Amino acid sequence: MAWQLDPGIEIRHEAHFGDRVVRCFAQRPRTVYEIFARTLKAAAEREALVAGASRLRYADLDTEAARIAAGLAALGVKAGMRVGMLLGNRVEFITVLLAIFRLGAIAVPMGTRLQGPEIAYILDHCGASVLVHEAELCNRLPQKTDLPQLRYRFSVGGDSPGSRPFAELRQTAEPPPVALPDEEETAVILYTSGTTGRPKGAMLSHLNIVHSALHFQYCMALGPQDRSLLAVPASHVTGLVAIIIAAWQGGGCVVMMPEFKVRDFLVLAAQERLTHTIMVPAMYNLCLLQPDFSSFDLSAWRVGGYGGAPMPEATIARLAEVLPGLKLMNAYGATETTSPTTIMPAEFTASHSDSVGIEAPCAEVIVVDAEGREVPRGESGELWIRGPMVVRGYWNNPEATAQSFTAGFWHSGDIGSIDKDGFVRVFDRVKDMINRGGYKVFSVEVENVLSHHEGVLESAIIGKPCPVLGERVHAFVARRDPSLDAETLKAFCASRLADYKIPETFTFLDEPLPRNANGKLLKRVLRDRLTAV
């Protein structure tokens, strides 16, 4: 099965990044800034951004970005130079980002939950010469003597010792002409979460970002009528590409909230007539748990994208009941794939809830064994991904690049399969798969079963070290019902799972499972908690 695109959309093979040959959209913007500029030219007066009390048209964003670009240029920033962005979901994130793209420089967004050593490492590793940061985060910034190449710091939202006010960056002088970098040049460096060792800086090129924006536009039918609600961090690949830049590509409006709070989300979604967003499944569950959920008018909401974790079948069924006009679409990808690799056509979400969808139009996914040999359809192995949205590699890290890429295929580290109809399934991370005495247990399968128990809010399955079997199945369960116990859940699983997959031990929680700023479950925290007992 493949996406059926409009007849005028041509896909062809092209050579990129040296030895890669990948499927590409023949007609496309050449740079990320051109995505914005095309909509600006077509509809300058259209609303582009809503953030709190601020409402900006495309023309307003252009004016602001030009002023900031003039200020950056006056500091010597030019094509290829790195500008750090330690900003939350606010207007300045968008205008600074656009200014950087306008100059052909490289944006380095960082999550606002990062701590001092993490911030210092990223700024040093990428060689940033300018940093625009939240004033309230000034205490986390490295000392000037520690990062001499970071020559300029600008504070947004208040004064900050050692930083200049952001207002000084906004110049009225004529900005330099819009840069025209090659589409294979890096536009953004996004540092991965670094669950093992130091984080790696994925180099997102203009080619990568343009293709991801087109994938979202074509597969989700994004257009000028859409109002995309940004409820995840703008500094994450989902917020940056799947919401902000995809909205520019479609010509729609971004409605931004500072951070996800379920009631604020519902109020804003109803007020601004949300039509599109992408969140993690836990956020949808929190919406459904809101006691007065039915009082919010969400009738305009037509596309509900999700990723980062499987959507429990029970949640899919409940959303279909309360929001019949909502099309749920799973989107699977990573920072290294500039967001989407697969997208689920909405008409198959309910019937293929265990799948992350089919290949995006220009993507290629194969399943390989430990020796790098492709396995037959239906068999499991590691997912390798290739396409124009796959990054060239990691900034200033040739060793990690060599380990993670083979002939343009990125080694995802995910165990999955592809069935005869082309539906891709992701069972587990290679490191997360449980090996119980030689039997493979994929945590997602057990978690899906547990999601159907009415007393379970959410669960996480991890391997518990065992001297005899190697690992045993352990479940962390956040429960709705405080009386829920292990024997009840074991009996519930027994009629639905093979005996070796049934959790043998449980940890019950009366609070949500630990997640990072992007809503992704932190299983390493749970493993540490288990081994510390």
Side-chain angles (χ1 to χ4, degrees):
M1 181 178 176
W3 288 94
Q4 299 302 309
L5 302 179
D6 292 341
I9 299 173
E10 178 189 353
I11 294 177
R12 67 188 179 196
H13 283 95
E14 296 181 6
H16 286 287
F17 303 124
D19 63 347
R20 298 188 190 180
V21 177
V22 292
R23 295 197 295 260
C24 295
F25 293 113
Q27 289 78 40
R28 61 181 184 266
R30 309 301 289 183
T31 68
V32 181
Y33 188 80
E34 188 181 334
I35 292 176
F36 174 82
R38 287 185 178 189
T39 298
L40 173 69
K41 182 178 180 180
E45 298 303 308
R46 185 180 300 151
E47 194 168 61
L49 178 65
V50 176
S54 299
R55 291 182 178 272
L56 290 86
R57 306 162 301 160
Y58 276 88
D60 299 325
L61 289 183
D62 179 56
T63 299
E64 284 298 303
R67 289 175 177 170
I68 297 167
L72 289 171
L75 302 176
V77 175
K78 53 189 176 182
M81 296 180 68
R82 279 77 65 202
V83 178
M85 297 172 58
L86 187 62
L87 297 171
N89 288 11
R90 56 161 63 235
V91 170
E92 290 82 1
F93 185 99
I94 305 291
T95 54
V96 170
L97 182 72
L98 268 173
I100 295 169
F101 289 153
R102 184 183 177 115
L103 294 173
I106 299 173
V108 187
M110 292 172 282
T112 56
R113 291 191 179 184
L114 293 180
Q115 297 303 307
E118 298 168 303
I119 296 168
Y121 173 79
I122 290 172
L123 292 171
D124 179 58
H125 186 262
C126 75
S129 57
V130 178
L131 171 66
V132 183
H133 67 90
E134 296 280 354
E136 65 182 19
L137 301 180
C138 63
N139 292 335
R140 300 188 204 167
L141 301 183
Q143 296 296 317
K144 289 190 174 183
T145 53
D146 294 335
L147 285 183
Q149 85 278 15
L150 186 64
R151 298 173 57 203
Y152 304 101
R153 307 180 188 207
F154 292 89
S155 173
V156 177
D159 295 331
S160 175
S163 298
R164 294 160 62 177
F166 180 71
E168 293 185 13
L169 195 58
R170 298 173 66 250
Q171 300 289 318
T172 56
E174 186 72 19
V178 174
L180 296 173
D182 185 88
E183 63 179 350
E184 293 186 8
E185 292 296 322
T186 301
V188 176
I189 301 175
L190 288 180
Y191 279 78
T192 58
S193 56
T195 52
T196 57
R198 291 289 197 178
K200 303 185 291 290
M203 299 183 290
L204 280 60
S205 70
H206 293 272
L207 179 77
N208 298 150
I209 297 172
V210 164
H211 274 84
S212 287
L214 289 169
H215 277 153
F216 280 121
Q217 181 191 22
Y218 294 151
C219 296
M220 294 183 171
L222 299 179
Q225 75 285 352
D226 281 304
R227 300 179 69 78
S228 299
L229 205 160
L230 178 66
V232 297
S235 57
H236 184 261
V237 68
T238 300
L240 179 69
V241 177
I243 300 291
I244 296 171
I245 298 175
W248 296 346
Q249 174 61 37
C253 177
V254 174
V255 179
M256 177 185 284
M257 59 188 306
E259 60 181 334
F260 179 80
K261 293 181 179 178
V262 61
R263 186 166 186 83
D264 293 345
F265 172 85
L266 293 171
V267 169
L268 191 60
Q271 177 182 301
E272 294 295 334
R273 306 296 292 165
L274 154 74
T275 67
H276 163 262
T277 193
I278 298 181
M279 305 189 293
V280 296
M283 293 178 172
Y284 288 91
N285 279 324
L286 288 170
C287 288
L288 291 173
L289 288 172
Q290 191 71 15
D292 58 347
F293 177 80
S294 60
S295 68
F296 295 95
D297 180 5
L298 304 176
S299 57
W301 193 0
R302 66 174 192 86
V303 176
Y306 64 94
M311 181 81 83
E313 293 176 14
T315 304
I316 294 172
R318 179 62 178 153
L319 285 168
E321 179 184 338
V322 297
L323 293 174
L326 179 62
K327 297 179 178 179
L328 289 174
M329 302 179 72
N330 197 345
Y332 161 72
T335 302
E336 288 87 347
T337 65
T338 320
S339 202
T341 294
T342 65
I343 301 176
M344 176 66 77
E347 62 268 27
F348 294 105
T349 294
S351 60
H352 292 71
S353 61
D354 61 340
S355 167
V356 295
I358 60 176
E359 293 172 337
C362 293
E364 183 181 359
V365 183
I366 61 174
V367 183
V368 302
D369 62 18
E371 283 73 44
R373 299 172 300 201
E374 188 172 9
V375 303
R377 286 288 174 112
E379 293 189 13
S380 64
E382 185 180 5
L383 301 179
W384 284 14
I385 302 163
R386 182 167 64 181
M389 72 289 172
V390 173
V391 302
R392 179 197 296 269
Y394 300 110
W395 180 268
N396 196 25
N397 197 338
E399 297 83 6
T401 299
Q403 291 171 2
S404 298
F405 296 83
T406 300
F409 280 99
W410 175 61
H411 308 177
S412 73
D414 288 328
I415 299 173
S417 68
I418 306 174
D419 69 17
K420 60 182 178 58
D421 297 316
F423 286 93
V424 179
R425 288 168 175 80
V426 179
F427 303 129
D428 231 329
R429 296 290 294 166
V430 169
K431 65 179 185 294
D432 288 346
M433 185 190 70
I434 300 169
N435 187 340
R436 186 188 185 280
Y439 288 96
K440 295 179 180 178
V441 179
F442 299 120
S443 60
V444 65
E445 182 182 7
V446 185
E447 290 160 0
N448 271 336
V449 167
L450 288 172
S451 74
H452 284 275
H453 192 284
E454 60 183 11
V456 174
L457 180 61
E458 56 179 347
S459 67
I461 300 298
I462 65 172
K464 184 177 183 178
C466 172
V468 178
L469 296 176
E471 291 179 299
R472 293 180 183 271
V473 182
H474 182 85
F476 281 85
V477 176
R479 53 189 175 183
R480 288 193 179 95
D481 179 0
S483 67
L484 185 65
D485 59 24
E487 294 309 313
T488 299
L489 288 182
K490 286 182 182 180
F492 182 80
C493 292
S495 61
R496 296 166 174 84
L497 291 169
D499 56 359
Y500 64 89
K501 299 178 183 178
I502 299 171
E504 296 175 68
T505 52
F506 290 78
T507 299
F508 289 100
L509 306 173
D510 294 316
E511 71 273 358
L513 297 174
R515 298 181 182 276
N516 65 14
N518 307 313
K520 188 167 288 188
L521 183 65
L522 295 174
K523 286 195 173 182
R524 59 182 171 80
V525 173
L526 297 177
R527 287 194 195 90
D528 292 343
R529 177 172 174 174
L530 188 62
T531 55
V533 175

